[in-house]
Amino acid sequence: MPRDSHENKGLYAYFAENPDEAHRQFFEPAPGLSRRGFFAGAGLTAAGGLLGMTIPFYGNMPPGLVPAAFASEDVLVGKDGLTLLNDRPINAETPAHLLDDAITPTARHFIRNNGLPPEDAGAAGWTLAVDGLVENPMELSIADLRARFEVVTMALTIECGGNGRAFFDPPAEGSQWTFGAVGCAEWTGVRLADVLKKAGVKPGAIYTAHYGADTHLSGKAGEPPISRGVPIAKAMTGNVLIAFGMNGGPLHKQNGAPLRLVVPGWPGSCSQKWLTRVRLRDIVHDGPKMTGTSYRVPAYPVAPGDEVPEDDFEIIERMPVKSLVTSPETGAAAGRNVEVRGHAWSGDRAVSAVDLSIDFGRSWMAAELDGPVNPGAWQDWRRRVAFPEAGYYEVWARATDSAGEMQPFAIDWNPKGYLNNTMHRAALRVA
Ligand SMILES: Nc1nc2c(c(=O)[nH]1)N[C@H]1C(S)=C(S)[C@@H](COP(=O)(O)O)O[C@H]1N2
Ligand SMILES: [Mo]
């Protein structure tokens, strides 16, 4: 059995990396079973063993395909329509047209795990430690957070730093996110700033360090899969929340229940899930995925495929200006006159314009653009578009932010495939 291989990485990553070998291991009848009669021979494969039944047409399964049953409910329980990119750790993105709502429903918020979520994640006994360079270290229950600090609700955009990685050429290793590693849910919690003020930030503190209760894929205790932080100034921003509520209900288990950070506008990795500790440090935090080339890009533009010395990488802070077309769905049939709509965002900044093109960028028309409901929320935009005749069109959306930065057409390539904010293109077949 391909135990080490698929159980350490997840079936999807295993099949993607080594499709022929995975196929052989999962779909060829185990030796010794093949002569035990028709049914046994026809279906007693490793895949059949995992499913608990034979696969009568196993011989037809194309190499590289993972049985759809393994993309199943037990992984994406409480989620609706997400595309599973990997199951260990769970990585699942939301198709753009399912992000049409102004506020992303809990069932449609993407999932990006680096390790395994804690088994026991009840709110009752949960505590958050606030320590390091503070005057008064604290240990707070969720009830303490509610009782001792102002509770606020804000719509906040979380986008994975690797969203759009799938389009890098040469390809970048890592989860092959297309467009949907982004969401804007309504989070309820307390401001990290208020908690840090109560704890008393000591003069030497320059950076936060975030810790969660998830475990490393290796299963080794005391080895967190990810622990990132932000400069104190960012932590003190009024829209950085310690959240215990999501869209009026509890957090989804995979989105960090019962407690997480939400750091809008910066790589999603800053928003520690299953949050147990915030520690203030006098150095730039050096936890897992803070160092090396993780969530970092070269300090200067590089040509696609260039080798870049590790010392030349710098930590990604704000995420760049970006937009999505959420309706109509790409590939859909459309009439001659349709409302095109979506969202736009730019880390720490407001979006000032969204323009659309239906003639492959030759001409542009302004969309109607709403302001953010609060700082850190994405902004909705819409425009009724008339198509001159029947045929194939693409709607291209291009956002510009308050600093005049505009989405590019071509990817600014970097080795790890971060920050792809190229224009979103929706294909339409106009009748
Ligand atoms: N404890 C913990 N927090 C985490 C992660 C993780 O693996 N463990 N993944 C991070 C990354 S890389 C992203 S993009 C966001 C995704 O948040 P979501 O899964 O709620 O969409 O969570 C961040 N917080
Ligand atoms: Mo991420």
Side-chain angles (χ1 to χ4, degrees), residues 79 89-92 109-118 158-162 177 181-183 187 210-215 225-228 246 252 254-256 260-261 266-275 289 295:
K79 292 290 177 182
I90 297 174
N91 283 227
H109 199 284
F110 78 101
I111 303 167
R112 197 300 187 232
N113 292 347
N114 289 268
L116 307 172
I158 299 178
E159 181 180 19
C160 182
W177 304 110
V182 63
W187 301 95
H210 314 149
Y211 300 88
D214 47 342
T215 51
I226 185 169
S227 169
R228 294 185 35 91
M246 182 177 189
H252 186 279
Q254 301 295 348
N255 300 120
R260 77 172 299 169
L261 275 176
W266 284 38
S269 51
C270 300
S271 296
Q272 195 83 27
K273 303 193 282 188
W274 310 289
L275 185 71
K289 309 229 168 164
Y295 301 101

Side-chain angles (χ1 to χ4, degrees), residues 52-374:
M53 57 190 75
T54 60
I55 306 177
F57 294 120
Y58 75 92
N60 299 339
M61 184 61 111
L65 265 198
V66 185
F70 297 139
S72 73
E73 296 72 54
D74 58 326
V75 173
L76 293 179
V77 130
K79 292 290 177 182
D80 168 31
L82 266 55
T83 308
L84 191 66
L85 300 181
N86 195 22
D87 60 338
R88 186 188 160 98
I90 297 174
N91 283 227
E93 69 172 341
T94 318
H97 70 283
L98 296 184
L99 289 171
D100 194 39
D101 305 83
I103 298 296
T104 307
T106 302
R108 292 188 176 161
H109 199 284
F110 78 101
I111 303 167
R112 197 300 187 232
N113 292 347
N114 289 268
L116 307 172
E119 282 300 324
D120 177 24
W126 201 266
T127 54
L128 170 68
V130 181
D131 58 13
L133 288 175
V134 295
E135 306 291 348
N136 324 296
M138 301 190 289
E139 182 101 7
L140 300 159
S141 67
I142 294 176
D144 293 335
L145 289 172
R146 283 183 181 279
R148 294 175 52 188
F149 302 94
E150 186 188 350
V151 173
V152 294
T153 296
M154 299 182 95
L156 300 170
T157 307
I158 299 178
E159 181 180 19
C160 182
N163 197 22
R165 177 179 292 131
F167 308 110
F168 278 68
D169 182 23
E173 253 181 61
S175 300
Q176 296 300 302
W177 304 110
T178 64
F179 300 101
V182 63
C184 182
E186 209 166 56
W187 301 95
T188 296
V190 301
R191 295 181 195 94
L192 175 61
D194 292 348
V195 173
L196 293 181
K197 278 178 211 154
K198 185 85 105 202
V201 178
K202 284 193 176 166
I206 64 158
Y207 228 84
T208 61
H210 314 149
Y211 300 88
D214 47 342
T215 51
H216 197 270
L217 292 179
S218 69
K220 271 188 216 130
E223 197 184 324
I226 185 169
S227 169
R228 294 185 35 91
V230 295
I232 295 290
K234 177 63 180 173
M236 289 307 213
T237 313
N239 61 2
V240 173
L241 300 188
I242 302 173
F244 40 71
M246 182 177 189
N247 294 325
L251 272 58
H252 186 279
K253 178 182 154 100
Q254 301 295 348
N255 300 120
L259 195 69
R260 77 172 299 169
L261 275 176
V262 182
V263 183
W266 284 38
S269 51
C270 300
S271 296
Q272 195 83 27
K273 303 193 282 188
W274 310 289
L275 185 71
T276 54
R277 182 181 181 203
V278 176
R279 168 188 170 209
L280 298 195
R281 307 196 63 183
D282 58 3
I283 56 164
V284 173
H285 182 45
D286 54 359
K289 309 229 168 164
M290 273 307 295
T291 56
T293 58
S294 294
Y295 301 101
R296 291 179 184 230
V297 288
Y300 43 83
V302 301
D306 267 5
E307 296 271 351
V308 182
E310 209 169 288
D311 285 349
D312 292 354
F313 282 73
E314 53 186 35
I315 299 174
I316 298 169
E317 298 201 327
R318 56 173 295 276
M319 293 290 289
V321 62
K322 197 162 175 181
S323 62
L324 267 188
V325 178
T326 59
S327 184
E329 178 179 355
T330 188
R336 291 276 289 276
N337 193 300
V338 273
E339 183 181 83
V340 178
R341 58 175 185 265
H343 316 290
W345 61 95
S346 182
D348 296 341
R349 297 180 188 158
V351 172
S352 51
V354 172
D355 296 292
L356 304 178
S357 177
I358 60 166
D359 57 6
F360 304 114
R362 181 71 189 251
S363 67
W364 295 88
M365 47 195 157
E368 180 192 10
L369 174 69
D370 297 343
V373 292
N374 53 249

